[in-house]
Amino acid sequence: VDTFYISKTGFDTHTDVEKLLRGLFSELNDAIFAFSEEMKMMNIWDNVTVIQTSDFGRTLNPNGNDGTDHAWGGNYMMMGGSVK
């Protein structure tokens, strides 16, 4: 099994969460889309599983600086050609 690990910083959004996340999510979306398109072009997407995790959770309600604070839990996403 081939395993690759990448890390993206900048999600510790204590201020201006909407503005910051808009850019971060756009960058992440572009990267995942480019990766999935390449895997499809190579005809191996059905054999690929991508797992995204976060090391800590965030509050759902904004703080006084239009940001979010540390909370409990995290988030996880799984995607790939065979993921249903």
Side-chain angles (χ1 to χ4, degrees), residues 16-28:
D16 298 321
V17 68
E18 286 186 45
K19 177 183 174 187
L20 292 170
L21 286 182
R22 195 173 300 119
L24 288 164
F25 285 162
S26 178
E27 186 178 336
L28 182 61

Side-chain angles (χ1 to χ4, degrees), residues 11 20 83-84:
F11 289 90
L20 292 170
V83 177
K84 306 290 183 212

